[in-house]
C-alpha cells in the first residue's frame, strides 16, 4: 500500500524548497528518516524526487542508490553526466524550472512508471552492483 506519492529524503535548502513547496497536491513523505522508518517511507512511496542542493548539475549517488534498491521511479534534475544511468530509461529528468510540471505529469500518467524504477534497479543493483564495480577496478589494466 502506497501512503505517499513522493519521498525525497533530502536536506531542504532554499533551492529545494522552491520545488517541494509547489508539490502540495501530492502526499510527500517526511524529509528526514533513518533505519526502519526510512525503509517504511521508501516502501510506501510511489516515487523519489531529487532536486540538486546547488545549481551544479551533479547528482547525489545516495538518492539514486536508495531509489534503485527500492525500485522507485526517480524524477531528477538534469545531470551533466549520469553515467552509467540513462535518462529516460533509468530515471526521468528536467531543468529546475520545469520540475514541478514533470512531477505532476509522471504521477498523473504512470504507464511506463514502474518500468523506470525496475530499470534503475537493474542498472545499479544487478548490472553495475558494488561488487562488480570493485572487481572491475581491481582488474583494470
Amino acid at each position: 500500500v502506497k501512503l505517499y506519492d513522493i519521498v525525497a529524503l533530502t536536506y531542504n535548502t532554499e533551492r529545494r524548497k522552491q520545488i517541494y513547496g509547489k508539490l502540495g497536491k501530492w502526499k510527500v513523505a517526511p524529509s528526514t528518516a533513518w533505519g526502519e522508518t526510512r525503509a517504511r517511507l521508501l516502501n510506501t512511496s510511489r516515487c523519489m524526487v531529487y532536486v540538486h542542493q546547488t545549481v551544479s548539475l551533479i547528482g547525489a549517488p545516495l538518492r539514486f542508490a536508495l531509489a534503485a534498491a527500492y525500485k522507485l521511479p526517480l524524477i531528477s534534475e538534469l545531470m551533466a553526466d549520469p553515467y552509467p544511468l540513462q535518462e529516460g530509461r533509468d530515471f526521468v529528468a528536467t531543468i529546475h524550472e520545469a520540475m514541478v510540471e514533470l512531477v505532476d505529469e509522471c504521477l498523473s500518467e504512470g504507464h511506463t512508471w514502474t518500468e523506470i524504477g525496475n530499470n534503475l534497479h537493474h542498472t545499479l543493483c544487478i548490472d553495475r552492483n558494488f561488487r562488480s564495480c570493485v572487481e572491475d577496478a581491481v582488474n583494470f589494466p
Side-chain angles (χ1 to χ4, degrees):
V1 174
K2 300 298 182 186
L3 302 175
Y4 302 99
D5 295 306
I6 299 165
V7 64
L9 297 176
T10 57
Y11 174 72
N12 289 329
T13 62
E14 285 304 314
R15 190 168 192 286
R16 288 174 172 156
K17 288 178 188 177
Q18 291 172 6
I19 302 299
Y20 301 152
K22 296 176 184 172
L23 298 174
K25 75 183 209 180
W26 304 109
K27 183 135 172 95
V28 180
S31 63
T32 305
W34 301 102
E36 290 179 24
T37 302
R38 181 177 75 176
R40 185 172 25 79
L41 294 178
L42 290 161
N43 275 317
T44 59
S45 296
R46 292 176 55 200
C47 75
M48 179 175 280
V49 171
Y50 172 66
V51 177
H52 300 316
Q53 187 170 357
T54 68
V55 296
S56 298
L57 300 180
I58 301 169
L62 179 58
R63 304 296 171 272
F64 289 81
L66 283 170
Y70 286 85
K71 296 183 180 178
L72 279 172
L74 179 67
I75 303 168
S76 172
E77 272 192 273
L78 289 175
M79 291 183 290
D81 182 7
Y83 180 82
L85 304 175
Q86 288 184 16
E87 181 188 335
R89 183 193 72 189
D90 300 312
F91 68 102
V92 293
T94 191
I95 60 173
H96 185 81
E97 295 77 14
M99 182 64 88
V100 173
E101 183 179 331
L102 180 60
V103 171
D104 288 346
E105 179 185 324
C106 288
L107 287 175
S108 295
E109 68 178 59
H111 61 279
T112 59
W113 202 228
T114 302
E115 184 178 351
I116 296 235
N118 289 338
N119 289 344
L120 180 62
H121 173 80
H122 197 273
T123 299
L124 293 183
C125 297
I126 297 170
D127 290 344
R128 308 260 318 159
N129 63 47
F130 182 76
R131 180 186 183 114
S132 70
C133 290
V134 169
E135 288 173 348
D136 287 349
V138 169
N139 295 321
F140 189 76

